[in-house]
Amino acid sequence: MSPRSVYLRGQADACRELANTIRDADTQVELRKMADKFIVRALEIESKAGT
């Protein structure tokens, strides 16, 4: 894995952890969406590195 994809995965984890600690449902949803975007971007980077 590239350093960038590792970073993005870490950011996704941080977003999910924060979403689990806050009470506002709308913010939880947005943080989880952001986490999903980080993972998608990490997967894109990893797939390009593998070709």
Side-chain angles (χ1 to χ4, degrees):
M1 268 191 259
S2 76
R4 180 116 172 114
S5 87
V6 171
Y7 171 79
L8 292 168
R9 288 178 176 278
Q11 292 301 300
D13 290 342
C15 286
R16 287 192 190 102
E17 287 178 28
L18 183 57
N20 289 336
T21 63
I22 61 173
R23 294 177 188 235
D24 183 67
D26 293 333
T27 305
Q28 287 177 337
V29 168
E30 292 305 314
L31 284 166
R32 290 187 178 114
K33 284 181 188 177
M34 191 181 304
D36 291 343
K37 289 179 183 180
F38 282 133
I39 293 297
V40 167
R41 185 66 184 124
L43 290 170
E44 289 171 354
I45 291 169
E46 292 163 12
S47 70
K48 287 179 185 175
T51 56

